[in-house]
Amino acid sequence: MPASLVERARAAIERGDLLSAYDLARPEGASGSSPELAYIAVLAMARMGETEQAMRLYELSGLSTAKDVDSQALGARLLKDHALQDGGGYAILKRAAEAYADVYLRSRDPFPAINAATLNLLAGDRERGAQFALRALEAPSVADPTDYYGAATQAEALIVLGREAEAVGAIERALSLPGANVGARSSTLRQFQMLAEHSGQGHKLASVIERLTPPAVASFAGHIFKADAEKEARLADAIDRELERANIGFGYGALAAGADILIAERLLARGATLNLVFPFRESDFIANSVLRAGEEWLKRYYAVRDRAADISFATLADYVGDPVQFGYGAVVAMGMTRLRAHHLCTRAVQLVLWDGVLRPGAPAGTGHDVEQWQRTGGATIHIDTADVDRGTGHQHSKAPDAERRLKALLFADFPGYTRISEAKLPLFWARVMAIAGQVLVDHQAELDFTNSWGDAVFGVFSTAEAAADAGLALQAALLSVSPTELGLDRPTQMRVSLHYGPVYVGEDPITGRPAYYGTEISRAARVEPLTPPGSVYASQPLAALLANTAPEKFSATYVGKIDLPKGFGQYPLYALRRRPNKIL
């Protein structure tokens, strides 16, 4: 019997695949038709660290008025996250502690009791924290646990009471009990990391945190080579040793013949979760990266593909003979690796089967991938492939005559423009468009091209970080314009969409000005009408790039797979914000 939607969403939460859990649960959960799916959707957002969106969905779905313990405890959890992440301070932290205490007093459930204990401790009330820790320990499910959460709660209570050595034993027991899945472990890990960070007892919790940390997430890549059973067996043994040594449980990459397929096979043999990220349309990828190394790879390709947990595409555009498209797909896969590692509170690493030769400036290839990963602070696990037959390799077709480059794209427009009276249009131009112009001037060092028509703005930037910074700066600056100035009744803000991808560069034959064009520009334009006024929506490639280059600066909230207009298919989108500073 097929698994229900709730079962599938729960399974995604348990394996730490928060994006899939949210995608599965959000449609019915947001409508309020399924409280259980609403709970899973909010929990997925909360675990991703996206507190603001989680709180909105919590209210929208009706969970805030639900009377069950789980829903009420989830509301207290969101208060806690707000206090720790969004500048709420000790007052909101104490409010969250008391919210958990209230749930406990009405339910006698140890889960809200242990959270009340931890939050009181963090808020400086050690005595009240100890009181609730003792109450949690009194619960039969915690005193003599039979599942992971019971034993993990016991460990947390012991930590609050200052009995760290005993907590180590409780965690060891927790990891041997039912329910010790990756999702549960990562949730407990965040709680213990918070205790370590804010209690000044990090050294005492180091061994507990190490045991709880989920398996690492690997971005994998390598050379295409001809099939050779003897040489592949040696490589497979080396891959298995490295997977075990680095404790890798998740992999992100493409599925080219040779290294990619071999690594993917070994990940699956280990029981790891495989996520495939193709650089462009799959049929073109098979022709250029699988079949060129021999027909025997095709059967292995499909055997692996059919067992992947998730398949995504940097773009669904055709391959046009441009090697940059391969490099683009690799960088997107690297960013998705880091996003998953962030969600799981674990390490991101790179695993490559590689000859060790760096080719500075190359647009693609394993050397390019290693250079990009290490440039952004990543560690690489290198397995040498010196003796494989790479006689096939990438045989790129002739590139198009037009120049192509990787660029970040910004589209913005003003949704209330058609309601502005004729008499107010000069004021709109002098205020709103002037602000947009000044923001672009402020970013001109990284701005390659800009254009406007009516209320719309288009910008081409050299980096994803520059486009993100400009988009957020634009929304912030527009708050200075009162809607009453323009005769409007809603905030004076634009819709801003961002994307990153390969585009053509040329000259506009009509105006003689520089021109940027291509499928990725059309895709970026389709995102903008779906963006709420005042928000900045980013495509998955741009969010992935930011995860590589500026994870401390920007927060990308997953909003789901959205149907783009005009036949551009479903596309994963993220709401972009500046990352707040923690206050404790």
Side-chain angles (χ1 to χ4, degrees):
M1 181 176 178
S4 70
L5 193 57
V6 170
E7 289 171 334
R8 290 162 59 203
R10 279 181 184 160
I13 282 280
E14 289 175 359
R15 67 176 181 265
D17 188 355
L18 301 177
L19 301 185
S20 293
Y22 180 72
D23 272 337
L24 289 165
R26 178 182 58 88
E28 290 190 34
S31 69
S33 60
S34 172
E36 194 163 6
L37 287 171
Y39 178 89
I40 292 171
V42 174
L43 181 62
M45 279 288 99
R47 286 188 178 180
M48 281 191 271
E50 304 300 347
T51 306
E52 184 179 333
Q53 180 162 329
M55 293 179 84
R56 285 201 301 268
L57 185 56
Y58 184 73
E59 294 289 337
L60 177 67
S61 63
L63 290 177
S64 61
T65 58
K67 302 302 181 185
D68 63 285
V69 171
D70 287 344
S71 296
Q72 292 179 352
L74 183 56
R77 182 233 168 94
L78 296 176
L79 279 175
K80 173 191 72 177
D81 292 346
H82 175 48
L84 293 170
Q85 297 177 358
D86 299 336
Y90 288 98
I92 293 183
L93 195 62
K94 189 67 174 175
R95 266 182 62 199
E98 292 310 309
Y100 273 121
D102 184 59
V103 177
Y104 168 73
L105 292 173
R106 285 184 284 110
S107 67
R108 299 297 168 177
D109 188 295
F111 175 74
I114 191 56
N115 279 280
T118 295
L119 294 181
N120 272 297
L121 177 65
L122 296 181
D125 194 340
R126 184 176 295 274
E127 181 179 352
R128 189 159 171 79
Q131 290 172 1
F132 280 101
L134 290 170
R135 292 178 185 180
L137 287 173
E138 291 170 358
S141 62
V142 177
D144 186 18
T146 58
D147 65 7
Y148 171 83
Y149 272 113
T153 298
Q154 183 186 94
E156 188 171 346
L158 291 169
I159 289 170
V160 172
L161 293 168
R163 295 154 59 182
E164 289 86 357
E166 295 174 69
V168 174
I171 281 298
E172 289 297 334
R173 183 175 182 180
L175 293 173
S176 69
L177 291 172
N181 54 66
V182 169
R185 288 169 57 188
S186 62
S187 179
T188 307
L189 177 61
R190 286 188 184 89
Q191 193 85 339
F192 286 11
Q193 286 177 330
M194 180 177 65
L195 278 166
E197 181 179 354
H198 301 304
S199 68
Q201 302 296 314
H203 61 289
K204 295 182 179 180
L205 300 181
S207 60
V208 176
I209 287 172
E210 182 179 356
R211 287 292 290 125
L212 280 171
T213 301
V217 187
S219 172
F220 64 87
H223 298 305
I224 292 178
F225 52 79
K226 292 181 179 178
D228 184 317
E230 182 179 344
K231 291 176 181 178
E232 286 183 47
R234 290 199 298 271
L235 286 173
D237 286 343
I239 294 168
D240 288 345
R241 287 194 299 272
E242 293 298 344
L243 293 177
E244 177 66 24
R245 184 184 63 79
N247 188 25
I248 293 171
F250 306 86
Y252 282 80
L255 204 54
D260 285 1
I261 290 179
L262 188 57
I263 293 173
E265 289 172 339
R266 303 321 304 160
L267 283 166
L268 290 171
R270 178 179 168 81
T273 299
L274 178 66
N275 301 270
L276 299 177
V277 185
F278 293 109
F280 42 74
R281 189 181 302 276
E282 187 176 11
S283 57
D284 287 356
F285 181 82
I286 290 172
N288 286 275
S289 297
V290 181
L291 291 177
R292 287 188 183 279
E295 291 278 348
E296 60 268 38
W297 285 107
L298 189 59
K299 182 177 179 180
R300 292 168 68 178
Y301 169 90
Y302 279 113
V304 170
R305 183 195 186 280
D306 290 345
R307 294 177 63 193
D310 183 64
I311 297 173
S312 60
F313 296 83
T315 176
L316 287 172
D318 300 336
Y319 176 56
V320 297
D322 182 2
V324 165
Q325 292 176 273
F326 286 98
Y328 168 62
V331 171
V332 170
M334 293 176 203
M336 293 176 69
T337 300
R338 286 182 160 122
L339 285 171
R340 184 68 172 275
H342 172 71
H343 294 162
L344 292 174
C345 288
T346 192
R347 294 184 306 121
V349 299
Q350 183 184 55
L351 174 62
V352 293
L353 298 187
W354 178 43
D355 62 8
V357 178
L358 287 171
R359 296 175 175 81
T366 310
H368 162 275
D369 298 349
V370 172
E371 183 181 27
Q372 290 294 317
W373 182 261
Q374 294 183 350
R375 181 185 297 172
T376 52
T380 300
I381 299 170
H382 171 207
I383 297 172
D384 185 61
T385 58
D387 63 343
V388 299
D389 185 350
R390 295 172 54 200
T392 55
H394 280 307
Q395 299 180 23
H396 301 295
S397 58
K398 183 179 182 298
D401 294 333
E403 181 182 0
R404 287 168 59 85
R405 296 179 188 172
L406 287 169
K407 295 293 179 182
L409 312 167
L410 178 152
F411 276 93
D413 86 340
F414 192 83
Y417 182 69
T418 57
R419 295 187 293 108
I420 298 174
S421 69
E422 183 74 11
K424 295 284 188 181
L425 285 177
L427 182 60
F428 171 85
W429 202 256
R431 297 284 281 124
V432 174
M433 297 305 285
I435 285 173
Q438 185 58 53
V439 167
L440 293 174
V441 168
D442 293 341
H443 293 82
Q444 61 184 340
E446 292 132 328
L447 182 65
D448 297 318
F449 177 81
T450 188
N451 196 8
S452 70
W453 51 98
D455 62 323
V457 177
F458 172 54
V460 179
F461 294 82
S462 57
T463 67
E465 185 174 348
D469 199 59
L472 292 167
L474 174 58
Q475 295 291 39
L478 287 172
L479 291 173
S480 66
V481 181
S482 169
T484 57
E485 292 183 60
L486 302 173
L488 300 175
D489 58 359
R490 62 183 64 179
T492 312
Q493 290 194 287
M494 287 185 161
R495 295 182 294 224
V496 178
S497 67
L498 305 174
H499 182 44
Y500 181 87
V503 299
Y504 289 104
V505 182
E507 181 180 286
D508 188 323
I510 306 300
T511 66
R513 295 181 62 201
Y516 292 81
Y517 59 96
T519 301
E520 299 311 307
I521 290 178
S522 299
R523 191 181 310 279
R526 301 295 174 261
V527 174
E528 177 268 310
L530 303 175
T531 304
S535 294
V536 178
Y537 270 17
S539 67
Q540 185 162 272
L542 189 129
L545 261 291
L546 294 178
N548 284 327
T549 62
E552 74 295 334
K553 189 173 180 181
F554 301 103
S555 170
T557 302
Y558 186 62
V559 296
K561 293 177 180 176
I562 308 298
D563 290 317
L564 299 186
K566 299 189 178 180
F568 272 80
Q570 274 199 337
Y571 213 52
L573 297 179
Y574 295 73
L576 195 68
R577 290 188 294 276
R578 297 193 191 280
R579 190 171 291 282
N581 295 319
K582 293 184 179 180
I583 52 83
L584 296 178

